[in-house]
């Protein structure tokens, strides 16, 4: 398969999905009406509910849903061959991904912009809201653990990258001060900081920093701690702002590289059914989450975007459009990995530097078509990868701090303290990173993401049922997601428990002791089992409502 | 006509980039401001929600300045919120 052909097919699938399927659902089932008032116009408060241009929202939605997920999943999934990954990205997005994102936004629009917690209470059961909150906590924890691990692996294996990441931290703080305290022109600050960031990448290639995995884990967690406790304008926001431009430049550059170079895939179409992380079904379907379907998107669509849409018919370009664009991003990641000079090189790189190393080298191959020097290109691509992960980590730890206060703050007042909440979250993440096996943590993360998607489909189906609309197009995806994800969780938890009981010296990952590895496997297995139980409880409550729709809890009172 | 089209394409690109790069920052700034304002209204007009904090004399003196925001303030204060509200 030629990389350019794959890209063209991807664009074709996106166009078909957007214009035909999404258009059909919008016109015939949802019956989007441009004259119906949206929550943004009804409850405009200038803060949460603000009517916003669809182009701004499209950018906002895309940025909120596209992080490391769509990039990492396809790179790992290439171990099964490019065809299964490609088919799941295309079919997953076509039949499930955009449906979930779009329908969540529409449900939010028609339900006065209520959050998923309130909707779970209203449409499923009172305990559904609490389960959802616990579920989200573990989901966030798994994000920090999975991303923290790839950040540390990448920074330890590529000494050219750390300088850029440390510089980004300093430049971010500086730009926050310049914008908010110095009232300096935003464009000048942006140009200056982006140029300095790129310069720091070059500097890193000249003055590499060599440290071990553990040092970079601690650094990544410290970076996130600052993000969780400092005022958002002074740290998290400006860092994410500058990072955006670096990622944007890298992705656009590599896409141009595909157009110019368009090499053939070196990876085979299909390798084998079973790989180290598990069998193709169900594990592939949780390994590639965001590039095909992701529960995270439903949260963005319902709580974030639905409160800002000024017109119902904007929901399709914003929610569905952003999902199809993310599909293209996942496809780019797959192309980076599949176009290595030889498939063996990809496997070696995956083994030695992890998926981050594969991404960096793959992207730098394509930047090479634009005459970007290889050493700089690899460092730049690696820095982009770390940035994608670390910027999400700092936000997630911030949310975990809030979640810790919300879950336990009433019983233990100490947990309301922001430092306590952040430190507890980071300690849990550290325990998982340090003792867990990364590949299993990634599968657990993907599975929790996909369970969130199954829950979103459950909520959407129940809402469609309550509106007496056809819901088969969300019900079948719901069944598929529940069955697949619970199976993946079951298999992964079983493997982890087996490892806990029968771990041999040879199986202990590098840098861990047998005791640590056992603890990590046990914790991961317990998280997996918790997710299964939580999902089954939610499914049980949801099915009760399906068969007795009058059992719904009625409206959550709004003033 | 073609100039107009070019202009609109440029605007679309600008809005898209703004949406990706800075829309979040704007929302956070608005949220921070509104939190301050709402705290102020809660202190001054708390009795509207059954939380009397300031003596009614001062509340009444401030009332004319706060009238335009009362409905959105009450809605925001009494709306059910959860973790996802903090996320986005």
């Amino acid at each position: 398969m030629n990389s350019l052909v794959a890209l063209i097919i991807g664009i074709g699938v996106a166009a078909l999905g957007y214009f035909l399927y999404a258009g059909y659902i919008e016109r015939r089932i949802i019956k989007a009406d441009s004259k119906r008032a949206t929550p943004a116009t009804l409850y405009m408060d200038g803060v949460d509910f603000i009517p916003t241009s669809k182009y701004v929202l499209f950018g906002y939605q895309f940025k909120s849903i596209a992080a490391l997920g769509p990039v990492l999943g396809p790179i790992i999934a290439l171990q099964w061959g490019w065809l299964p990954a490609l088919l799941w990205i295309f079919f997953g997005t076509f039949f499930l991904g955009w449906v979930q994102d779009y329908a969540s936004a529409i449900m939010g629009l028609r339900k006065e912009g209520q959050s998923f917690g309130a909707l779970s209470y209203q449409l499923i059961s009172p305990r559904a809201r609490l389960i959802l909150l616990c579920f989200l906590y573990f989901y966030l924890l798994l994000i920090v653990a999975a991303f923290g691990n790839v950040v540390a692996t990448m920074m330890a294996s590529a000494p050219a990258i750390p300088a850029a990441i440390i510089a980004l931290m300093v430049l971010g703080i500086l730009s926050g001060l310049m914008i908010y305290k110095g009232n300096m022109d935003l464009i000048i600050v942006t140009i200056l900081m982006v140029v300095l960031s790129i310069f720091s990448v070059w500097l890193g290639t000249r003055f590499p920093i060599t440290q071990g995995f553990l040092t970079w884990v601690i650094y990544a967690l410290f970076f996130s701690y600052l993000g969780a406790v400092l005022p958002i304008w002074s740290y998290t926001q400006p860092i994410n702002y500058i990072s955006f431009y670096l990622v944007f430049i890298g992705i656009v550059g590599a896409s141009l590289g595909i157009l110019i170079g368009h090499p053939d895939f070196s990876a085979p179409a299909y390798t084998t059914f079973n790989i180290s992380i598990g069998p193709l079904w169900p594990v592939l379907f949780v390994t590639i989450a965001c590039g095909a379907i992701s529960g995270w998107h439903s949260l963005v669509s319902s709580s974030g975007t639905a409160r800002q849409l000024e017109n119902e018919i904007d929901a399709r370009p914003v929610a569905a459009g952003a999902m199809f664009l993310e599909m293209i991003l996942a496809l780019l990641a797959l192309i980076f990995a599949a176009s290595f000079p030889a498939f063996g090189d990809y496997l070696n790189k995956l083994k030695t530097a992890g998926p981050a190393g594969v991404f960096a080298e793959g992207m730098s191959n394509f930047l090479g078509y634009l005459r970007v020097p290889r050493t700089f290109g690899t460092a730049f691509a690696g820095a982009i990868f770390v940035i994608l992960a670390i910027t999400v980590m700092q936000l997630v730890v911030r949310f975990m701090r809030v979640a810790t206060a919300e879950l336990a703050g009433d019983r233990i007042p100490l947990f309301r303290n922001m430092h306590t909440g952040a430190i507890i979250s980071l300690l849990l993440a550290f325990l998982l990173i340090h003792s867990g096996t990364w590949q299993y943590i990634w599968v657990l993360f993907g599975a929790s993401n996909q369970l969130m998607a199954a829950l979103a489909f459950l909520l959407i189906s129940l809402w469609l049922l309550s509106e007496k609309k056809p819901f088969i197009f969300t019900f079948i995806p719901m069944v598929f997601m529940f069955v697949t994800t619970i199976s993946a969780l079951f298999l992964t938890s079983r493997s982890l428990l087996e490892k806990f009981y029968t771990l041999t010296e040879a199986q202990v990952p590098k840098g861990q002791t047998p005791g640590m590895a056992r603890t990590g496997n046990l914790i991961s297995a317990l998280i997996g089992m918790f997710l299964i139980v939580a999902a089954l409880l939610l499914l049980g409550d949801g099915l009760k409502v399906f068969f007795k729709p009058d059992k719904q809890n009625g409206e959550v009172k709004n003033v | 006509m073609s100039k107009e089209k070019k202009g609109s394409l440029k605007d679309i690109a600008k809005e898209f980039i703004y949406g990706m790069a800075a829309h979040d920052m704007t929302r956070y700034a608005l949220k921070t401001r509104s939190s301050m304002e709402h705290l102020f209204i809660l202190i001054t007009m708390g009795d509207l929600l059954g939380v009397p904090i300031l003596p009614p004399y001062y509340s009444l003196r401030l009332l004319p300045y706060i009238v335009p925001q009362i409905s959105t303030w009450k809605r925001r204060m009494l709306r059910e919120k959860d973790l996802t509200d903090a996320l986005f």
Side-chain angles (χ1 to χ4, degrees):
Chain A
M1 170 75 92
N2 184 275
S3 51
L4 189 59
V5 173
L7 192 60
I8 291 169
I9 294 173
I11 293 168
V13 170
L16 271 178
Y18 180 79
F19 290 107
L20 289 185
Y21 191 29
Y24 173 80
I25 297 286
E26 184 193 42
R27 282 190 303 273
R28 297 295 171 88
I29 294 177
I30 300 295
K31 296 191 170 99
D33 180 2
S34 62
K35 289 181 183 150
R36 194 195 298 256
T38 61
T41 50
L42 266 178
Y43 305 124
M44 184 166 65
D45 59 6
V47 185
D48 287 327
F49 295 86
I50 313 177
T52 308
S53 149
K54 64 180 171 187
Y55 304 114
V56 171
L57 275 184
F58 177 62
Y60 166 78
Q61 171 91 3
F62 179 65
K63 198 228 174 170
S64 304
I65 63 173
L68 202 59
V71 171
L72 257 179
I75 290 175
I76 301 168
L78 186 67
Q79 292 173 86
W80 282 289
W82 60 260
L83 190 61
L86 197 76
L87 290 177
W88 171 233
I89 290 172
F90 287 168
F91 285 106
T93 308
F94 194 96
F95 290 109
L96 291 88
W98 79 265
V99 178
Q100 180 215 224
D101 296 14
Y102 171 74
S104 301
I106 286 289
M107 184 171 64
L109 280 176
R110 303 261 172 102
K111 285 283 188 186
E112 302 178 331
Q114 286 173 21
S115 64
F116 257 30
L119 289 171
S120 308
Y121 175 91
Q122 186 185 326
L123 295 170
I124 303 178
S125 67
R127 73 173 172 185
R129 183 166 46 184
L130 181 66
I131 296 173
L132 182 77
L133 194 60
C134 298
F135 198 81
L136 269 174
Y137 193 84
F138 282 104
Y139 174 52
L140 296 175
L141 174 65
L142 288 166
I143 293 180
V144 183
F147 287 14
N149 203 312
V150 286
V151 164
T153 307
M154 187 66 189
M155 287 172 78
S157 65
I161 294 171
I165 305 304
I166 294 167
L168 178 75
M169 193 172 163
V170 178
L171 294 173
I173 295 171
L174 267 180
S175 49
L177 288 172
M178 287 159 88
I179 295 166
Y180 290 104
K181 293 288 175 190
N183 286 327
M184 286 179 71
D185 186 86
L186 184 65
I187 295 174
I188 292 174
V189 175
T190 308
I191 293 170
L192 182 69
M193 291 304 163
V194 170
V195 170
L196 284 175
S197 303
I198 294 172
F199 175 70
S200 68
V201 176
W202 175 80
L203 216 59
T205 60
R206 304 300 301 262
F207 304 102
I209 302 172
T210 310
Q211 288 294 330
F213 175 79
L214 194 59
T215 309
W216 295 123
V217 171
I218 293 168
Y219 172 78
L221 296 182
F222 178 66
F223 189 99
S224 309
Y225 171 74
L226 292 181
V229 298
L230 287 176
I232 200 152
W233 66 265
S234 68
Y235 187 81
T236 309
Q237 243 182 28
I239 288 176
N240 287 9
Y241 177 70
I242 301 300
S243 303
F244 159 74
Y245 287 100
L246 296 180
V247 175
F248 189 69
I249 291 168
I251 299 287
V252 170
S255 307
L256 287 174
I258 293 176
L259 294 179
I260 297 167
H262 52 81
D264 287 333
F265 287 176
S266 63
Y270 177 72
T271 54
T272 173
F273 192 78
N274 280 300
I275 62 166
S276 61
I277 51 173
L280 191 145
W281 188 89
V283 180
L284 167 74
F285 300 86
V286 297
T287 303
I288 299 180
C290 296
I293 175 172
S294 154
W296 177 258
H297 302 185
S298 63
L299 296 176
V300 179
S301 297
S302 60
S303 291
T305 304
R307 293 175 184 173
Q308 299 177 73
L309 284 165
E310 62 182 348
N311 194 322
E312 264 196 6
I313 55 170
D314 289 350
R316 182 160 68 109
V318 171
M323 182 61 226
F324 283 114
L325 190 60
E326 189 174 67
M327 182 192 90
I328 301 294
L329 182 63
L331 184 58
L332 288 179
L334 185 69
I335 290 172
F336 294 160
S339 305
F340 263 55
F343 188 57
D345 294 347
Y346 154 80
L347 290 174
N348 282 339
K349 198 75 191 172
L350 191 68
K351 204 172 174 185
T352 53
V358 174
F359 175 83
E361 196 165 322
M363 191 184 212
S364 88
N365 287 340
F366 284 97
L367 289 174
Y369 292 113
L370 304 177
R371 310 257 176 236
V372 175
R374 188 166 179 79
T375 322
F376 177 80
T378 310
F380 185 63
I384 285 176
F385 189 93
V386 173
I387 284 169
L388 275 170
I390 212 164
T391 50
V392 172
M393 276 177 73
Q394 58 173 346
L395 275 174
V396 166
V397 175
R398 202 177 179 90
F399 301 145
M400 283 180 79
R401 161 171 82 74
V402 179
T404 307
E406 197 148 312
L407 280 169
D410 285 343
R411 287 181 194 164
I412 310 166
L414 183 67
F415 283 11
R416 287 187 216 152
N417 179 288
M418 66 175 179
H419 297 284
T420 314
I423 288 169
I424 288 170
S425 313
L426 289 168
L427 282 176
L428 287 172
F430 179 77
L431 192 66
L432 263 183
I433 296 172
H434 197 45
S435 59
T437 309
W438 182 80
Q439 285 193 320
Y440 287 118
I441 292 174
W442 179 259
V443 173
L444 287 177
F445 155 67
S448 62
N449 203 351
Q450 303 299 54
L451 274 183
M452 191 68 226
L455 172 66
F457 275 127
L458 176 64
L459 275 173
I460 296 162
S461 303
L462 286 170
W463 168 68
L464 289 168
L465 176 74
S466 70
E467 297 281 310
K468 299 189 172 46
K469 286 179 186 291
F471 55 84
I472 194 79
F473 73 106
T474 57
F475 189 79
I476 293 174
M478 180 197 84
V479 173
F480 175 77
M481 292 312 296
F482 264 117
V483 171
T484 303
T485 313
I486 289 175
S487 309
L489 277 171
F490 176 74
L491 282 176
T492 308
S493 302
R494 197 186 64 179
S495 302
L496 284 161
L497 278 180
E498 273 172 13
K499 286 207 163 157
F500 171 71
Y501 285 114
T502 61
L503 194 76
T504 58
E505 285 284 340
Q507 289 173 323
V508 177
K510 200 180 152 192
Q512 290 184 5
T513 60
M516 271 163 59
R518 277 207 178 88
T519 313
N521 288 335
L522 182 64
I523 295 170
S524 305
L526 289 176
I527 292 176
M529 286 188 283
F530 166 80
L531 291 172
I532 293 174
V533 173
L536 289 175
L537 283 173
L538 282 172
L539 183 65
D541 286 0
L543 288 178
K544 269 185 214 163
V545 182
F546 255 113
F547 294 111
K548 287 185 181 169
D550 54 317
K551 290 272 178 192
Q552 283 184 355
N553 290 295
E555 298 293 316
V556 171
K557 284 199 172 94
N558 272 311
V559 177
Chain B
M1 185 68 189
S2 63
K3 256 189 181 176
E4 223 179 281
K5 208 174 178 183
K6 263 186 188 173
S8 71
L9 268 179
K10 194 179 154 194
D11 288 345
I12 290 170
K14 265 167 80 177
E15 287 192 6
F16 174 58
I17 303 262
Y18 162 77
M20 284 198 287
H23 186 58
D24 244 355
M25 291 171 81
T26 314
R27 291 192 79 211
Y28 273 119
L30 287 169
K31 278 187 180 177
T32 309
R33 190 186 71 178
S34 86
S35 301
M36 300 286 183
E37 281 179 3
H38 288 174
L39 197 62
F40 176 72
I41 304 176
L42 181 69
I43 293 165
T44 54
M45 295 289 142
D47 22 13
L48 285 175
L49 299 179
V51 192
I53 298 173
L54 204 68
Y57 171 78
Y58 299 103
S59 297
L60 284 171
R61 291 288 299 267
L62 290 165
L63 186 63
Y65 303 98
I66 289 165
V67 162
Q69 294 184 43
I70 284 178
S71 60
T72 52
W73 168 70
K74 272 180 82 176
R75 198 183 309 126
R76 275 178 59 81
M77 291 298 285
L78 299 177
R79 186 166 56 83
E80 185 184 337
K81 295 189 187 85
D82 60 27
L83 180 63
T84 56
D85 286 277
L87 290 174
F88 309 106

